Amino acid sequence: VEQSYIMVKPDGVQRGLVGEIISRFEKKGFLLKGLKLFQCSKDLAEEHYKDLKDKPFFPTLIDYITSGPVVCMAWEGNGVVASARKLIGATNPLQAEPGTIRGDLAVQTGRNVVHGSDSPDNGKREIGKFSNN
Ligand code: GTP
Ligand code: MG
């Protein structure tokens, strides 16, 4: 069955948005298969965002993701990867549609409250990485 790795980023945890974010996936009808509060290491953050390592904002991104605890979740269901990306909204919260998580709850790309896997293969891979760390 398809699974997506969904992670509430440190700003989402600090702002008290964990319940709100979980609620959106629950109400949509996906199944929560795993959850933990977790302090992401620099190494794991760099591995998670390795495709972005040449971007100018990479060091800022790693500092952000490791700045406090995250909530790691595995969500399951047919089409969950693409649907979660729609529920989350565009990377830049100012461009995210109202009704999406980022569209409703954030204003900065560098503090966009939640991560969602971009393919089913990456969903499996990310869930594996974060459950074994
Ligand atoms: P994730 O679900 O977190 O992977 O976001 P995404 O798939 O919508 O975007 P992408 O994978 O391209 O970028 C990963 C994360 O890097 C984004 O969610 C942002 O937190 C951060 N990021 C992307 N672009 C920028 C940028 O231009 N500036 C800053 N500060 N952060 C960025
Ligand atoms: Mg991404």
Side-chain angles (χ1 to χ4, degrees), residues 36-111:
K36 69 176 176 186
L37 185 70
F38 177 70
Q39 174 60 52
C40 188
S41 68
K42 192 162 186 272
D43 281 358
L44 186 57
E46 287 175 353
E47 149 74 21
H48 179 65
Y49 284 123
K50 63 181 182 308
D51 294 347
L52 301 173
K53 70 176 183 319
D54 296 329
K55 302 282 188 192
F57 59 81
F58 187 71
T60 311
L61 174 59
I62 300 308
D63 284 350
Y64 163 47
I65 292 301
T66 59
S67 66
V70 296
V71 171
C72 308
M73 296 180 281
W75 286 91
E76 184 173 288
N78 288 327
V80 66
V81 168
S83 179
R85 300 274 295 181
K86 284 191 186 164
L87 292 171
I88 289 170
T91 306
N92 179 346
L94 295 179
Q95 273 146 31
E97 294 295 326
T100 65
I101 295 169
R102 288 169 177 164
D104 289 347
L105 304 175
V107 291
Q108 288 180 57
T109 303
R111 294 181 70 79

Side-chain angles (χ1 to χ4, degrees), residues 3 25 27 47 50 62 90 93 98 103 122 125:
Q3 293 192 340
F25 289 97
K27 285 176 187 164
E47 149 74 21
K50 63 181 182 308
I62 300 308
N122 279 338
R125 191 177 58 75

Side-chain angles (χ1 to χ4, degrees), residues 1-6 22 25-26 29-36 71-78 80 123-124 127-128 130-131:
V1 194
E2 188 172 312
Q3 293 192 340
S4 184
Y5 176 62
I6 304 295
I22 289 175
F25 289 97
E26 285 182 325
F30 292 121
L31 187 60
L32 181 60
K33 297 293 287 187
L35 178 150
K36 69 176 176 186
V71 171
C72 308
M73 296 180 281
W75 286 91
E76 184 173 288
N78 288 327
V80 66
K124 269 200 198 88
I127 288 164
F130 279 87
S131 45

